[in-house]
Coordinates of all heavy atoms in Angstrom, one line a residue:
Chain A
I138 N 109.9 121.5 135.3 CA 109.5 122.6 136.2 C 110.4 123.8 136.1 O 109.8 124.9 136.1 CB 109.5 122.0 137.8 CG1 108.5 121.0 138.0 CG2 109.5 123.2 138.8 CD1 108.5 120.4 139.3
Y139 N 111.7 123.7 136.0 CA 112.6 124.8 136.1 C 112.9 125.5 134.7 O 113.1 126.6 134.6 CB 113.9 124.3 136.8 CG 113.7 124.3 138.3 CD1 113.6 123.0 138.9 CD2 113.7 125.4 139.1 CE1 113.3 123.0 140.2 CE2 113.4 125.3 140.4 CZ 113.2 124.0 141.0 OH 113.1 123.9 142.3
V140 N 112.8 124.6 133.7 CA 113.1 125.2 132.3 C 111.7 125.4 131.6 O 111.4 126.4 131.1 CB 114.0 124.2 131.6 CG1 114.3 124.8 130.2 CG2 115.3 124.1 132.3
G141 N 111.0 124.3 131.5 CA 109.7 124.4 130.9 C 109.6 124.3 129.4 O 110.6 124.5 128.7
E142 N 108.5 124.2 128.8 CA 108.3 124.1 127.4 C 108.3 125.4 126.8 O 108.0 126.5 127.4 CB 107.0 123.3 127.1 CG 107.0 121.9 127.4 CD 105.8 121.1 127.0 OE1 104.8 121.9 126.8 OE2 105.8 120.0 127.0
A143 N 108.6 125.4 125.5 CA 108.8 126.7 124.7 C 107.4 127.2 124.3 O 106.4 126.3 124.3 CB 109.7 126.6 123.6
E144 N 107.3 128.4 124.0 CA 105.9 129.0 123.5 C 106.1 129.3 122.1 O 107.2 129.7 121.6 CB 105.6 130.3 124.3 CG 105.1 129.9 125.6 CD 105.0 131.2 126.5 OE1 105.5 132.2 126.0 OE2 104.4 131.0 127.5
L145 N 104.9 129.1 121.3 CA 105.0 129.4 119.9 C 104.9 130.9 119.6 O 103.9 131.5 120.1 CB 103.8 128.6 119.2 CG 103.8 128.8 117.7 CD1 104.9 128.2 117.0 CD2 102.5 127.9 117.2
V146 N 105.8 131.5 118.9 CA 105.8 132.9 118.6 C 106.0 133.1 117.0 O 106.4 132.1 116.4 CB 106.8 133.8 119.2 CG1 106.6 133.8 120.8 CG2 108.2 133.3 119.0
Y152 N 115.2 137.5 111.3 CA 115.9 136.5 112.2 C 115.7 135.2 111.5 O 114.6 134.7 111.3 CB 115.3 136.5 113.5 CG 115.9 135.5 114.5 CD1 117.2 135.6 114.9 CD2 115.1 134.5 115.1 CE1 117.8 134.6 115.6 CE2 115.6 133.6 115.9 CZ 117.0 133.7 116.3 OH 117.4 132.7 117.0
P154 N 115.9 131.4 112.6 CA 116.1 130.6 113.7 C 117.0 129.5 113.4 O 117.1 128.9 112.4 CB 114.6 130.1 114.0 CG 113.8 130.9 113.1 CD 114.5 131.3 112.0
E158 N 115.6 125.5 117.2 CA 114.6 126.3 117.7 C 113.3 126.1 117.2 O 112.3 126.8 117.4 CB 115.0 127.8 117.6 CG 116.1 128.2 118.6 CD 116.5 129.6 118.3 OE1 115.9 130.3 117.4 OE2 117.3 130.1 119.0
Y159 N 113.1 125.0 116.4 CA 111.8 124.6 115.9 C 111.1 123.6 116.7 O 110.0 123.2 116.4 CB 112.0 124.1 114.5 CG 112.3 125.2 113.5 CD1 113.5 125.2 112.8 CD2 111.4 126.3 113.2 CE1 113.9 126.2 111.9 CE2 111.8 127.2 112.3 CZ 113.0 127.2 111.6 OH 113.3 128.2 110.8
Y160 N 111.7 123.1 117.9 CA 111.0 122.2 118.7 C 110.6 122.7 119.9 O 111.1 123.7 120.4 CB 112.0 121.0 119.0 CG 112.6 120.3 117.8 CD1 113.9 120.6 117.3 CD2 111.8 119.4 117.1 CE1 114.4 120.0 116.1 CE2 112.3 118.8 116.0 CZ 113.6 119.1 115.6 OH 114.1 118.5 114.5
R166 N 114.9 119.8 122.3 CA 115.8 120.9 121.7 C 117.3 120.5 122.0 O 118.2 120.7 121.1 CB 115.5 122.2 122.4 CG 114.2 122.8 121.8 CD 113.7 123.9 122.7 NE 114.5 125.2 122.5 CZ 113.9 126.2 121.9 NH1 112.7 126.1 121.5 NH2 114.6 127.3 121.8
Y180 N 119.3 116.8 104.5 CA 118.7 117.0 103.1 C 119.8 117.1 102.1 O 119.8 116.4 101.1 CB 117.8 118.2 103.2 CG 116.9 118.3 102.0 CD1 115.6 117.8 102.1 CD2 117.1 119.2 101.0 CE1 114.7 117.9 101.1 CE2 116.2 119.4 100.0 CZ 115.0 118.8 100.0 OH 114.0 119.0 99.0
M183 N 121.7 113.9 101.7 CA 121.0 113.0 100.9 C 121.2 113.4 99.4 O 121.4 112.6 98.5 CB 119.6 112.9 101.3 CG 118.7 111.8 100.6 SD 119.5 110.3 100.8 CE 118.0 109.4 100.9
M184 N 121.0 114.6 99.1 CA 121.1 115.1 97.6 C 122.4 114.9 97.1 O 122.6 114.5 96.0 CB 120.7 116.7 97.6 CG 119.3 116.8 98.1 SD 118.3 117.6 96.8 CE 118.8 119.2 96.9
I187 N 122.7 111.3 96.3 CA 122.0 111.0 95.1 C 122.7 111.5 93.8 O 122.8 110.8 92.8 CB 120.6 111.7 95.1 CG1 119.7 111.0 96.1 CG2 119.9 111.7 93.7 CD1 118.4 111.6 96.4
Q188 N 123.3 112.7 93.9 CA 124.2 113.3 92.8 C 125.3 112.4 92.4 O 125.6 112.0 91.3 CB 124.7 114.7 93.2 CG 125.6 115.2 92.3 CD 124.9 115.8 91.0 OE1 123.7 115.8 91.0 NE2 125.6 116.2 90.1
K191 N 124.0 109.2 90.8 CA 123.5 109.6 89.4 C 124.7 109.8 88.5 O 124.7 109.2 87.4 CB 122.7 110.9 89.4 CG 122.3 111.4 88.1 CD 121.6 112.7 88.3 CE 120.8 113.1 87.1 NZ 121.7 113.5 85.9
Chain B
M154 N 101.9 123.3 130.2 CA 100.7 123.5 129.4 C 100.9 124.7 128.6 O 101.1 125.8 129.1 CB 99.5 123.5 130.3 CG 98.8 122.1 130.5 SD 97.7 122.2 131.9 CE 96.9 123.7 131.8
P155 N 100.6 124.7 127.4 CA 100.6 126.0 126.5 C 99.4 126.8 126.9 O 98.4 126.3 127.4 CB 100.7 125.4 125.1 CG 99.9 124.2 125.1 CD 100.2 123.6 126.5
I205 N 104.4 126.9 139.7 CA 105.4 126.4 138.8 C 105.9 127.4 137.9 O 107.0 127.6 137.5 CB 104.8 125.1 138.1 CG1 104.4 124.1 139.0 CG2 105.9 124.5 137.2 CD1 105.4 123.1 139.5
I208 N 108.3 129.8 139.2 CA 109.7 129.2 139.3 C 110.4 129.4 138.0 O 111.5 129.6 138.0 CB 109.6 127.7 139.7 CG1 109.1 127.7 141.1 CG2 110.9 127.1 139.6 CD1 108.8 126.2 141.5
R209 N 109.6 129.2 136.9 CA 110.3 129.2 135.6 C 110.9 130.5 135.2 O 111.9 130.5 134.5 CB 109.3 128.8 134.5 CG 109.2 127.3 134.4 CD 108.2 126.9 133.3 NE 108.6 127.6 132.1 CZ 107.9 127.6 131.0 NH1 106.8 127.0 131.0 NH2 108.4 128.1 129.9
K213 N 111.5 132.8 129.0 CA 111.1 131.5 128.6 C 111.6 131.2 127.1 O 111.7 132.1 126.3 CB 109.6 131.3 128.6 CG 109.0 131.5 130.0 CD 107.5 131.3 129.9 CE 107.0 131.7 131.3 NZ 105.6 131.8 131.3
P214 N 112.0 129.9 126.9 CA 112.4 129.6 125.4 C 111.2 129.8 124.5 O 110.0 129.6 124.9 CB 112.8 128.1 125.6 CG 112.2 127.6 126.8 CD 112.0 128.7 127.7
V215 N 111.5 130.0 123.3 CA 110.4 130.2 122.3 C 110.8 129.2 121.2 O 111.8 128.9 120.9 CB 110.3 131.5 121.8 CG1 109.7 132.5 122.8 CG2 111.6 132.0 121.3
F216 N 109.6 128.9 120.4 CA 109.9 128.0 119.2 C 109.1 128.5 118.1 O 108.1 129.2 118.3 CB 109.6 126.6 119.4 CG 108.2 126.2 119.6 CD1 107.6 125.4 118.5 CD2 107.5 126.5 120.7 CE1 106.4 125.0 118.6 CE2 106.2 126.0 120.7 CZ 105.5 125.3 119.8
Y217 N 109.6 128.4 116.9 CA 109.0 129.0 115.7 C 108.4 127.9 114.8 O 108.6 126.7 115.0 CB 110.1 129.7 114.9 CG 110.8 130.7 115.8 CD1 112.1 130.4 116.3 CD2 110.3 131.9 116.1 CE1 112.8 131.1 117.0 CE2 111.1 132.8 116.9 CZ 112.3 132.5 117.4 OH 113.0 133.2 118.3
H218 N 107.5 128.4 113.9 CA 107.0 127.6 112.9 C 107.8 127.6 111.6 O 108.0 128.6 111.0 CB 105.5 128.1 112.6 CG 104.8 127.3 111.7 ND1 104.5 126.0 111.8 CD2 104.4 127.6 110.4 CE1 103.9 125.5 110.8 NE2 103.8 126.4 109.8
Q219 N 108.2 126.4 111.1 CA 109.1 126.4 110.0 C 108.3 126.4 108.8 O 107.4 125.6 108.5 CB 109.9 125.0 110.1 CG 111.1 125.0 109.1 CD 112.1 124.0 109.3 OE1 111.8 123.1 110.1 NE2 113.3 124.1 108.8
K220 N 108.7 127.3 107.9 CA 108.1 127.4 106.6 C 109.1 126.9 105.4 O 110.3 127.3 105.4 CB 107.8 128.9 106.3 CG 106.7 129.3 107.2 CD 106.3 130.8 106.8 CE 105.4 131.4 107.8 NZ 105.9 131.6 109.2
G233 N 114.9 111.4 84.6 CA 116.3 111.1 85.0 C 117.0 112.1 86.0 O 118.0 111.9 86.4
D234 N 116.1 113.1 86.3 CA 116.7 114.2 87.2 C 116.4 113.7 88.6 O 115.4 114.1 89.3 CB 116.0 115.5 86.8 CG 116.7 116.7 87.7 OD1 117.6 116.3 88.4 OD2 116.3 117.8 87.3
Y235 N 117.2 112.8 89.2 CA 117.0 112.2 90.5 C 116.8 113.3 91.6 O 116.2 113.0 92.5 CB 117.9 111.2 90.9 CG 117.8 110.1 89.8 CD1 118.9 109.9 88.8 CD2 116.8 109.0 89.8 CE1 118.8 108.9 87.8 CE2 116.8 108.1 88.9 CZ 117.8 108.1 87.9 OH 117.7 107.1 86.9
L236 N 117.6 114.3 91.4 CA 117.5 115.3 92.5 C 116.2 116.0 92.5 O 115.6 116.3 93.6 CB 118.6 116.5 92.2 CG 120.0 116.0 92.5 CD1 121.0 117.0 92.0 CD2 120.3 115.6 93.9
Y239 N 113.8 113.7 94.2 CA 114.0 113.7 95.7 C 113.2 114.9 96.3 O 112.5 114.8 97.3 CB 115.4 113.7 96.1 CG 115.6 113.7 97.6 CD1 115.4 112.6 98.3 CD2 116.3 114.8 98.2 CE1 115.6 112.6 99.7 CE2 116.4 114.8 99.6 CZ 116.0 113.8 100.3 OH 116.3 113.8 101.6
E240 N 113.5 116.1 95.7 CA 112.8 117.3 96.3 C 111.4 117.3 96.2 O 110.6 117.6 97.2 CB 113.4 118.6 95.6 CG 114.9 118.7 95.8 CD 115.3 120.2 95.8 OE1 114.6 121.0 96.5 OE2 116.3 120.5 95.2
M243 N 110.0 114.9 98.9 CA 110.0 115.3 100.2 C 108.9 116.4 100.4 O 108.1 116.4 101.5 CB 111.3 116.1 100.5 CG 112.4 115.3 100.7 SD 112.3 114.2 102.1 CE 112.3 112.6 101.5
R247 N 105.6 116.3 103.1 CA 105.3 117.3 103.9 C 103.8 117.7 103.7 O 103.0 117.8 104.7 CB 106.1 118.5 103.7 CG 107.5 118.4 104.2 CD 108.3 119.7 104.2 NE 108.5 120.3 102.9 CZ 109.6 120.2 102.2 NH1 110.7 119.5 102.7 NH2 109.7 120.7 101.0

Side-chain angles (χ1 to χ4, degrees):
Chain A
I138 292 180
Y139 286 100
V140 178
E142 288 182 347
E144 286 170 346
L145 182 61
V146 295
Y152 178 62
E158 284 178 0
Y159 289 114
Y160 301 102
R166 282 163 82 107
Y180 194 86
M183 183 58 141
M184 298 242 277
I187 291 172
Q188 173 76 9
K191 176 180 191 300
Chain B
M154 268 164 41
I205 304 269
I208 293 175
R209 272 184 54 186
K213 296 182 185 171
V215 290
F216 75 108
Y217 308 99
H218 177 68
Q219 190 164 19
K220 295 184 188 57
D234 188 359
Y235 299 103
L236 291 171
Y239 178 71
E240 296 212 45
M243 290 294 120
R247 290 194 291 266

